[in-house]
Amino acid sequence: MSDKPESPKIPEAGDPPMENANQVSAEQDQENSLTENAQPMAEQNVNSGETEAVENDADVKPDESVKQENDGTTSSEPEERGDPFENSGSNLSESVNVIQNQNADQDVENGEAANEQSVEPPAENAGQGDQEETEAPVEALTEEQPEQVDEPKEQDDEQQDQTANEENKENEIELEKEKTEGEVELEKEKTQDEVEPGEEKTQDEDESEKEKTEGEVELEKEKTQDEVEPGEEKTQDEVEPEKEKTQDGVVPGIEENPVVSAEATEGELETRETTSPQIPVAPPVNQNMLPSVSRLLSPDQDGTETSMEGTMSNSALNIIWSFGLNRDVPVLNLTDKDRKMILYPCAHVGVLYDFQNNKQHILQGHTNAITCSCVSEDKKWLVTGDKGEDAMVIVWDTTTGTPIQTLFDLNPDGGVVAVALTPDARYLATLSSARSQILSIWDWTIDGESPICTAQLSPDYGVQNFIYFNPEDFHYLVTNSSSQVIFCHWDERHLEYFAPPLSDQDFNKQVGNYSQSIFQSNSSRALTGTSIGNLVVWDNNKPLTKVVSTEQSADKKALKIIKLQDRGINVLTTTDKYIVVGDMAGHVKFFDQTLKLIYWYQDFHLGPITSVSFSHIPEFAPIAPEGSKYPGDATISAKNFVIRDFVVGTNIAIFGNVTADGTKVQVIHREHDAAIHALSTHPKMPYLVIGSYSGLIQIWNYEKRTVMVSRTFERGLHIRCSSFDPKGEYLAVGFTNGTVRILDAITLNDEMSEPFRYSRDAITHLVFSHNSVYLAAADAEHSLTVYKKQNSAEDPFDYLGRYRAHYKPINDVLFGIHLDSNLPRLMTLGEDRFLVEYDLVASVRDNLVIASSDRIEQSGIPKCMAWYPPITKEHFLITANDQYKFKLFNATTKMCRRTLLGPTYGSPVLKVSILPTKEQTLDGMEKRYLAYHTEDKVGLHILPLDGNPHNSMALIAHPNGVSNLVCSYDGRYLFTAGGSDSAVHMWEVNINALEAQSRLGGEDLLPFYGLLDGGRDGELFAELEDYFYYGQIRNQGVDSQEIRKVSTKIQLSEVPFVMRALGFYPSEQEIEDMMNEVKFSEYVETGQYVEEIDLGEFIKLYVNHRPAFGLSPDKVLEAFDILGIPTSEGCAVERGELLDILQSKGEHMTEYELAEYLSTLLGHNLEGGSSELHNIDPVEAGELIDQNLPHQITADMFSKQILGFSMYTDAVSDQ
């Protein structure tokens, strides 16, 4: 926007009324031609019929007289007419609800005093010139006549400054007479170097001050006390409160002097005060109402630019950029004279985006997706809210990007759906997300714990999702849902609201769904836009008169319905003296207070408008500077239509900045408006591919934060996944309809003459081999399709084969390299617990060969896999399952070599990726890290894996779920996609923070002691020691009379018994995995088997293999619900069927084992059984079982009477 000369100040909240303020723009009646992007809509009104005529005086139609412009456009001036709101329909009855807040303990007198102060102008401002208050009636609108506008009182200020300077000089002369001759000489030197009042002191002056004697300093202090600043005469009593107020912080809505540092000289202070814009200053505020320094910090207000771009933090992961946006929450324009910035939510973070310099500052603090936001009139204070568990409302300082106040636990259901600030930003209104919504008013600068008044709204009113304060009296506000408008009045003690009814039968017109509501300026009326282009006019519920009242009342009724246009109204707001409408057609219209069309923007081509937000220019005046290109309005004279610049948001995720001077439209963001699942990074360059269900695919340069190329596929093609080939030449893209396209990695043009269509369901995975020869595609039909590269200029890839090796969904696809050659190997991991490897060498067209199929899990479900980096001599394949476990499998034999405890952050690991890095360890090997994501979090883990919980970390990435995770080619960044939130976060990796966290957790066994109940000194550890040494006694023979050999180790054969004694009951497969893990732990290095295990290794083995969250009664209940039949005592299984299942299903038992175990559990054998001292007679055991085991066995009976688990009692009984 071009620079504008200084213009007269415009009245703001708290100012005395300016005479003829609503006709300032009439002084500059220039004949500027209209631009192509925005035309006056008189012609549109007459020709297109977009705005229909309404009944009688409700017509919103310009005059027939038309003025022809040079460019062929037309404009017209509306004819004089009466108030369009008169002659309303019948009176409507209203339902009135008055809710008194019993918890409000605010002092009413202080509140009333503050309100009076906010209305009356300060004395010194009032002295600058008395102005007559003029009312602008809305009954009729006559043609505007140019009138003189009061010039700013700059001359008066200059005279006051000159008078004050003369008085200061006289005081200096009197003091100089009392000084000694030497002091006079020093004072002369100082006077020569001294700058004029209001300028900064030079370095020479500072040096001369240091040379003064102690007596001179005393005289200087006396002089300072006698002096006053130019243009001001403040006593010492007045200065002290000013200092206290500056220390406590600046109150929102009150223009304070800039905060001056301790080193600032008196001259510097004068400079800042005299050069600041002439903005009206609000009256003094009660000091008790000021927020404390700890609760509300005051940023500098000297207009200095503050860089807020994300940088490295103390966390191992830090969001530094967010791609995408939440199109359901309106964008807020934070632009002022010092910055061009917008605010929009992106998942659970707010983004302060400087679109002039392409910089972002991420506001982190919410744990749920942000649902609403608002900003103060001066664009300084920002409020964001969310809904869900641990919901909160946060007030931010937009200058520094720091949180100032946080409101927790707003209601039991958690969260808010709408927030609004009063014009002075002192009070905050929130609407809860509960079914019975709560409307709360907060004095957030004083108390963030409880609101000053609340009201509970009936669920019959629908979900109220919009709040608007009356800018002329913030004690009145309006909320609306799609079906009900509510008007409220509040004070320090109570809040009352009125819900006037309105139906289609009241005016014999269709109303439509409500969108947004506003209060009309200088009137008691309010307006509400609807989804069918209507405007509902509300007025006080009292007998009709021809005199329009300005007295506000929350008791309102529907006055009439005006058919404003055909397209639905999405946005209804105000700016200066205009009413602004944004609609489904993508148009933005400006009306005056009598609903005469003044201007119409129609050529944005950005999509249906969902938000319009204007910039904040305190000294803005609707006068077109010389040389400007403001378009002409829809009047006969075609006066310059001068408004503030504004930002529009649309429901197709496009943000645009509109510069009124010249009507220039700048697209700020053009993002995805559907779920994002496709995410991939270039193998050699800083490029990121983002694809969504909207059919849009983009290649970003994530270092420069710019879009390099984008492509939108035809309607119906939803992008599900994508992948670069290792050489960076091709980009494979999979769609939800089963097609696969091969694109050029730079231009995104098709490389194939026709896309592959071998799948009938969505493509879920796309992976290239290391040499770019093979491309594997997994689909939702549990099948794998392989394509092979060919030497063809037309089609670089051809179909090889397709195989359905899994009977459940494929969770991961992985290419590797054979150890003895450079040939690729291909594996798939299914939810059916099978790991399938394919023989690519033996495969030919239409015949994809299976090399092996191995079941790698017994009870857990594998979620993902990756190649373990070469930090060990043995080659491993790592998997993660739904039981919070990592497992390492030998790459050749598929034997489970290690089981390790994974991150336990609310949900299991769903995807892993080895982070590329070149850091070296002390032994010269590379130090590697693993990136992973869970259901809603992203994290890092130090390798090698050992089960140490301090080696991992995680942060909330996307509250609604993470759909994908990729790493940059150099390992510096992670990227996460949020699926339905249409957002992608870029995370900066800080390895040093992760290593520091690991060291703080302790070394050796200390982290594992913390995983035991009670720790190192707990009861469990003491029992473990006893069991450990008893295992040695068992191994040597319980009845042995020989001398006992005490050792620090036990035999591997004793490990299962010690595990069971500790309450961990592993299956036979789990026992085999534990034994193999210890037995082959040193085989690669030494070639020897390990037959013993010490206490430290046993603790690690126990912690890593036991269930992450202990035994769960839900498993027993689930089994009986599936196997049993319903009875009065719950689901029960017949005795014979239970015994048959135990002998034939799963790890089936022999008849001897079953008889021994059941007779022992029933208490008829000594504990220990045949494993220690006793032999069991199966015949006798069978008779005992038949006599003591009931015919019908329920989950409660099985857990308490057979297993003897008291821990199950409460859980089972609750069911």
Side-chain angles (χ1 to χ4, degrees):
M1 186 173 65
S2 60
D3 296 335
K4 300 180 181 180
E6 186 176 13
S7 57
K9 66 177 182 178
I10 302 303
E12 296 186 356
D15 282 3
M18 180 179 290
E19 183 176 353
N20 299 325
N22 60 342
Q23 298 185 8
V24 174
S25 60
E27 189 178 52
Q28 298 280 342
D29 186 13
Q30 301 195 7
E31 301 292 337
N32 290 342
S33 61
L34 303 178
T35 62
E36 296 181 358
N37 289 335
Q39 303 176 5
M41 285 301 106
E43 182 180 1
Q44 298 293 335
N45 248 351
V46 175
N47 298 331
S48 66
E50 183 73 14
T51 304
E52 296 182 358
V54 297
E55 300 176 2
N56 301 329
D57 55 354
D59 268 351
V60 189
K61 180 185 291 186
D63 192 10
E64 296 297 333
S65 57
V66 177
K67 177 181 178 180
Q68 299 294 334
E69 297 291 345
N70 295 332
D71 57 357
T73 60
T74 61
S75 63
S76 64
E77 182 176 2
E79 63 181 359
E80 297 183 9
R81 54 185 172 83
D83 183 10
F85 306 133
E86 292 182 6
N87 302 327
S88 64
S90 60
N91 295 335
L92 304 178
S93 60
E94 293 84 4
S95 58
V96 181
N97 290 309
V98 180
I99 307 299
Q100 302 218 351
N101 184 2
Q102 302 298 335
N103 298 324
D105 53 359
Q106 296 292 333
D107 189 358
V108 178
E109 296 180 359
N110 290 340
E112 293 177 353
N115 292 336
E116 292 176 1
Q117 291 172 348
S118 63
V119 174
E120 296 179 2
E124 51 185 348
N125 283 348
Q128 294 179 2
D130 296 331
Q131 298 175 343
E132 296 180 359
E133 181 177 0
T134 60
E135 296 183 358
V138 297
E139 292 87 23
L141 178 65
T142 58
E143 183 177 355
E144 293 183 344
Q145 300 294 334
E147 296 187 11
Q148 295 297 327
V149 181
D150 292 344
E151 294 294 330
K153 308 303 179 181
E154 297 179 357
Q155 297 179 357
D156 294 343
D157 294 341
E158 293 177 359
Q159 293 178 0
Q160 292 178 2
D161 293 344
Q162 184 175 1
T163 303
N165 290 336
E166 293 176 357
E167 294 177 358
N168 292 339
K169 290 179 180 180
E170 293 177 359
N171 293 335
E172 291 177 2
I173 294 174
E174 294 295 330
L175 290 173
E176 286 176 357
K177 291 180 180 180
E178 300 175 1
K179 295 181 180 179
T180 60
E181 294 181 358
E183 293 171 344
V184 171
E185 292 297 327
L186 291 174
E187 190 67 18
K188 289 180 180 179
E189 294 176 3
K190 174 193 170 187
T191 304
Q192 293 176 359
D193 295 336
E194 190 174 5
V195 296
E196 292 296 326
E199 298 180 358
E200 297 183 359
K201 296 182 179 181
T202 62
Q203 185 175 0
D204 294 336
E205 179 185 353
D206 294 337
E207 293 177 357
S208 65
E209 287 180 355
K210 295 180 180 178
E211 297 174 0
K212 291 181 180 180
T213 62
E214 186 174 348
E216 294 170 339
V217 173
E218 292 296 327
L219 290 174
E220 193 68 16
K221 290 182 179 180
E222 296 177 2
K223 172 186 174 182
T224 303
Q225 294 177 357
D226 293 337
E227 281 186 342
V228 293
E229 294 186 4
E232 297 182 6
E233 295 182 4
K234 295 184 179 180
T235 64
Q236 186 67 21
D237 295 335
E238 294 174 337
V239 174
E240 290 301 324
E242 291 282 335
K243 294 181 179 179
E244 294 176 3
K245 185 167 65 175
T246 303
Q247 294 173 358
D248 288 343
V250 179
V251 179
I254 298 180
E255 297 291 342
E256 296 284 358
N257 290 329
V259 178
V260 184
S261 61
E263 295 81 10
T265 63
E266 185 175 346
E268 291 173 338
L269 179 59
E270 295 172 0
T271 302
R272 296 187 184 183
E273 292 179 349
T274 56
T275 60
S276 61
Q278 296 294 323
I279 303 174
V281 180
V285 178
N286 187 350
Q287 294 296 320
N288 296 328
M289 302 291 288
L290 294 177
S292 63
V293 177
S294 61
R295 302 294 291 274
L296 177 59
L297 301 178
S298 174
D300 293 339
Q301 300 181 6
D302 55 1
T304 58
E305 183 178 356
T306 303
S307 176
M308 298 188 301
E309 189 173 9
T311 55
M312 183 75 76
S313 69
N314 294 327
S315 175
L317 290 175
N318 181 40
I319 299 180
I320 61 171
W321 194 267
S322 290
F323 306 90
L325 50 90
N326 186 348
R327 60 193 177 97
D328 296 326
V329 180
V331 59
L332 300 178
N333 190 1
L334 307 183
T335 301
D336 55 25
K337 63 179 181 180
D338 298 319
R339 63 186 181 186
K340 290 189 175 182
M341 183 177 291
I342 60 174
L343 178 280
Y344 56 90
C346 187
H348 66 300
V349 301
V351 179
L352 292 176
Y353 180 56
D354 183 349
F355 58 89
Q356 185 177 27
N357 300 311
N358 193 28
K359 292 183 179 181
Q360 283 187 359
H361 179 74
I362 307 298
L363 305 179
Q364 302 182 64
H366 293 279
T367 58
N368 304 296
I370 295 176
T371 57
C372 53
S373 61
C374 68
V375 68
S376 61
E377 186 176 348
D378 59 2
K379 310 298 183 181
K380 183 175 181 181
W381 309 105
L382 169 71
V383 181
T384 57
D386 64 69
K387 65 178 180 180
E389 188 178 359
D390 298 326
M392 63 185 73
V393 173
I394 304 178
V395 183
W396 310 82
D397 183 344
T398 63
T399 307
T400 61
T402 56
I404 303 300
Q405 179 67 278
T406 304
L407 313 179
F408 295 100
D409 297 330
L410 300 178
N411 58 80
D413 295 321
V416 295
V417 294
V419 291
L421 282 169
T422 56
D424 61 357
R426 181 177 295 279
Y427 298 101
L428 169 67
T430 62
L431 272 170
S432 69
S433 61
R435 184 175 182 272
S436 296
Q437 289 182 281
I438 299 177
L439 174 63
S440 304
I441 307 295
W442 305 76
D443 189 352
W444 66 270
T445 63
I446 304 299
D447 183 14
E449 300 296 330
S450 59
I452 58 177
C453 58
T454 62
Q456 186 167 359
L457 308 180
S458 171
D460 298 336
Y461 299 150
V463 179
Q464 301 285 312
N465 53 16
F466 181 79
I467 313 176
Y468 184 82
F469 277 101
N470 189 341
E472 297 175 355
D473 186 352
F474 57 71
H475 287 93
Y476 293 89
L477 60 90
V478 59
T479 73
N480 69 259
S481 64
S482 61
S483 59
Q484 182 66 60
V485 178
I486 298 177
F487 296 93
C488 308
H489 175 262
W490 63 276
D491 55 29
E492 300 298 331
R493 293 192 179 275
H494 74 281
L495 186 154
E496 63 176 356
Y497 70 86
F498 297 81
L502 178 61
S503 64
D504 296 345
Q505 291 74 28
D506 292 325
F507 294 102
N508 199 23
K509 288 183 179 180
Q510 187 179 0
V511 179
N513 294 328
Y514 299 130
S515 56
Q516 294 183 1
S517 304
I518 61 171
F519 288 96
Q520 197 172 7
S521 178
N522 296 324
S523 173
S524 60
R525 293 169 179 169
L527 307 175
T528 300
T530 73
S531 59
I532 60 174
N534 286 340
L535 207 61
V536 181
V537 183
W538 311 88
D539 204 348
N540 293 342
N541 186 15
K542 62 180 182 180
L544 294 176
T545 61
K546 292 186 177 181
V547 179
V548 177
S549 173
T550 59
E551 181 182 355
Q552 285 294 338
S553 172
D555 185 4
K556 294 185 183 298
K557 64 180 180 182
L559 187 63
K560 72 182 319 177
I561 299 176
I562 298 177
K563 184 65 175 179
L564 195 65
Q565 58 185 46
D566 289 335
R567 299 298 183 92
I569 298 175
N570 295 334
V571 179
L572 184 62
T573 185
T574 61
T575 177
D576 298 322
K577 60 182 179 179
Y578 299 114
I579 297 173
V580 185
V581 172
D583 59 30
M584 290 294 297
H587 302 163
V588 178
K589 302 175 183 178
F590 291 80
F591 299 87
D592 63 9
Q593 294 299 320
T594 59
L595 294 184
K596 291 180 181 178
L597 184 62
I598 303 300
Y599 200 77
W600 186 350
Y601 290 96
Q602 67 170 355
D603 296 323
F604 291 157
H605 304 298
L606 301 178
I609 304 296
T610 56
S611 63
V612 178
S613 183
F614 292 85
S615 61
H616 174 66
I617 307 298
E619 63 275 11
F620 174 80
I623 301 175
E626 184 178 355
S628 62
K629 297 181 180 179
Y630 287 98
D633 61 16
T635 61
I636 294 179
S637 58
K639 296 175 294 185
N640 287 329
F641 182 67
V642 182
I643 57 169
R644 305 170 189 264
D645 298 342
F646 59 95
V647 170
V648 296
T650 68
N651 66 357
I652 59 174
I654 299 178
F655 291 163
N657 180 59
V658 181
T659 303
D661 188 359
T663 317
K664 303 171 185 176
V665 181
Q666 172 192 358
V667 176
I668 300 175
H669 280 316
R670 190 183 299 273
E671 297 292 350
H672 304 265
D673 61 348
I676 296 177
H677 291 269
L679 207 60
S680 55
T681 53
H682 197 280
K684 300 176 182 179
M685 303 295 291
Y687 301 155
L688 171 69
V689 170
I690 303 176
S692 69
Y693 283 0
S694 65
L696 174 64
I697 186 170
Q698 298 173 317
I699 299 182
W700 284 79
N701 184 321
Y702 55 77
E703 289 186 348
K704 295 182 179 180
R705 278 78 158 173
T706 56
V707 177
M708 300 175 55
V709 62
S710 65
R711 176 181 176 181
T712 302
F713 292 93
E714 52 267 27
R715 188 180 183 88
L717 288 180
H718 306 311
I719 301 173
R720 180 61 177 80
C721 56
S722 64
S723 176
F724 279 103
D725 78 305
K727 296 180 181 180
E729 298 176 355
Y730 302 105
L731 176 67
V733 181
F735 297 85
T736 56
N737 64 354
T739 61
V740 176
R741 292 175 180 259
I742 309 297
L743 309 179
D744 183 273
I746 298 178
T747 63
L748 294 182
N749 294 328
D750 287 299
E751 291 289 330
M752 305 289 296
S753 57
E754 289 290 334
F756 294 117
R757 295 187 176 91
Y758 291 93
S759 300
R760 293 173 298 179
D761 210 334
I763 305 297
T764 58
H765 298 80
L766 281 173
V767 184
F768 281 94
S769 62
H770 73 285
N771 54 6
S772 300
V773 174
Y774 296 96
L775 169 64
D779 57 45
E781 292 182 311
H782 323 324
S783 301
L784 181 75
T785 307
V786 178
Y787 306 95
K788 188 176 181 179
K789 194 173 184 180
Q790 60 179 0
N791 296 324
S792 173
E794 182 177 357
D795 293 331
F797 284 86
D798 191 17
Y799 169 77
L800 177 63
R802 175 179 169 85
Y803 203 103
R804 182 172 180 174
H806 299 272
Y807 65 90
K808 286 188 177 182
I810 296 175
N811 285 340
D812 211 346
V813 180
L814 185 64
F815 270 104
I817 305 174
H818 284 284
L819 297 179
D820 53 352
S821 66
N822 195 37
L823 297 176
R825 58 189 301 193
L826 174 62
M827 298 180 181
T828 58
L829 184 64
E831 203 164 303
D832 54 7
R833 303 181 177 89
F834 278 92
L835 177 65
V836 179
E837 184 170 1
Y838 303 83
D839 190 344
L840 297 177
V841 177
S843 300
V844 294
R845 184 178 177 86
D846 294 328
N847 185 19
L848 186 60
V849 179
I850 300 295
S852 64
S853 180
D854 302 280
R855 184 184 175 102
I856 62 173
E857 290 279 358
Q858 186 178 35
S859 59
I861 298 176
K863 294 295 184 181
C864 56
M865 61 179 175
W867 292 110
Y868 202 64
I871 55 178
T872 58
K873 294 184 178 180
E874 192 172 357
H875 194 46
F876 290 129
L877 180 71
I878 180 176
T879 67
N881 63 21
D882 65 340
Q883 298 177 343
Y884 300 88
K885 302 292 185 182
F886 286 129
K887 288 192 175 183
L888 301 182
F889 294 89
N890 184 281
T892 304
T893 65
K894 310 296 193 323
M895 176 190 292
C896 180
R897 287 283 291 102
R898 294 201 70 182
T899 300
L900 303 139
L901 179 65
T904 54
Y905 298 115
S907 60
V909 173
L910 301 180
K911 184 175 182 178
V912 295
S913 179
I914 305 301
L915 199 66
T917 181
K918 297 183 180 179
E919 293 191 15
Q920 302 290 325
T921 59
L922 296 178
D923 56 3
M925 299 187 67
E926 289 187 2
K927 194 160 189 178
R928 305 302 296 272
Y929 304 88
L930 179 143
Y932 66 90
H933 82 75
T934 65
E935 184 177 342
D936 60 345
K937 298 178 179 64
V938 61
L940 291 176
H941 203 300
I942 298 176
L943 298 180
L945 299 173
D946 59 359
N948 183 354
H950 300 288
N951 284 347
S952 66
M953 59 77 60
L955 295 173
I956 295 177
H958 301 268
N960 296 332
V962 181
S963 61
N964 207 345
L965 165 72
V966 293
C967 303
S968 64
Y969 74 98
D970 55 3
R972 295 173 55 197
Y973 307 106
L974 298 181
F975 301 91
T976 58
S980 60
D981 64 13
S982 305
V984 174
H985 292 321
M986 178 178 177
W987 303 80
E988 190 175 35
V989 177
N990 185 358
I991 296 301
N992 295 331
L994 183 62
E995 291 289 348
Q997 169 190 309
S998 177
R999 292 189 179 92
L1000 290 174
E1003 298 180 352
D1004 199 22
L1005 290 175
L1006 289 179
F1008 297 93
Y1009 290 148
L1011 296 176
L1012 299 176
D1013 294 339
R1016 176 66 176 81
D1017 301 325
E1019 182 179 351
L1020 180 61
F1021 184 82
E1023 290 183 1
L1024 174 59
E1025 288 183 317
D1026 294 341
Y1027 297 146
F1028 199 79
Y1029 291 116
Y1030 182 68
Q1032 298 181 27
I1033 296 176
R1034 272 176 40 85
N1035 184 63
Q1036 298 174 23
V1038 177
D1039 294 333
S1040 175
Q1041 301 297 320
E1042 297 180 2
I1043 300 175
R1044 301 290 182 181
K1045 297 179 180 179
V1046 179
S1047 173
T1048 59
K1049 298 181 178 181
I1050 60 173
Q1051 294 295 317
L1052 285 183
S1053 59
E1054 299 298 323
V1055 168
F1057 299 99
V1058 180
M1059 291 288 183
R1060 296 188 185 108
L1062 291 172
F1064 170 40
Y1065 303 94
S1067 64
E1068 295 299 319
Q1069 178 64 50
E1070 291 171 335
I1071 291 174
E1072 183 181 352
D1073 291 342
M1074 285 190 292
M1075 304 289 278
N1076 291 335
E1077 179 175 330
V1078 180
K1079 185 176 181 180
F1080 295 101
S1081 59
E1082 299 177 2
Y1083 185 80
V1084 176
E1085 289 82 2
T1086 63
Q1088 302 291 327
Y1089 294 130
V1090 177
E1091 301 293 343
E1092 296 179 325
I1093 184 173
D1094 60 19
L1095 181 60
E1097 291 299 322
F1098 181 86
I1099 292 175
K1100 292 182 179 180
L1101 191 69
Y1102 169 71
V1103 166
N1104 285 322
H1105 280 265
R1106 70 175 181 177
F1109 301 104
L1111 298 175
S1112 173
D1114 295 335
K1115 296 293 184 182
V1116 177
L1117 293 172
E1118 181 182 359
F1120 274 83
D1121 289 341
I1122 295 174
L1123 300 175
I1125 56 177
T1127 65
S1128 59
E1129 298 179 359
C1131 291
V1133 180
E1134 292 184 358
R1135 180 179 62 186
E1137 185 179 356
L1138 177 61
L1139 297 177
D1140 181 66
I1141 291 174
L1142 292 175
Q1143 295 180 73
S1144 59
K1145 303 295 183 181
E1147 291 183 348
H1148 52 270
M1149 304 177 186
T1150 64
E1151 185 178 352
Y1152 178 84
E1153 291 173 338
L1154 181 59
E1156 177 188 355
Y1157 299 156
L1158 282 177
S1159 59
T1160 302
L1161 288 171
L1162 292 172
H1164 297 283
N1165 290 331
L1166 295 177
E1167 294 185 4
S1170 60
S1171 63
E1172 292 187 358
L1173 301 175
H1174 307 283
N1175 293 323
I1176 304 298
D1177 184 358
V1179 177
E1180 182 181 356
E1183 294 177 355
L1184 291 173
I1185 293 172
D1186 184 60
Q1187 296 173 4
N1188 295 277
L1189 195 64
H1191 289 279
Q1192 296 287 339
I1193 303 174
T1194 63
D1196 183 33
M1197 181 189 305
F1198 185 78
S1199 60
K1200 291 196 299 183
Q1201 299 181 19
I1202 298 178
L1203 299 180
F1205 287 165
S1206 59
M1207 60 175 289
Y1208 285 85
T1209 303
D1210 296 336
V1212 174
S1213 60
D1214 291 341
Q1215 299 293 330

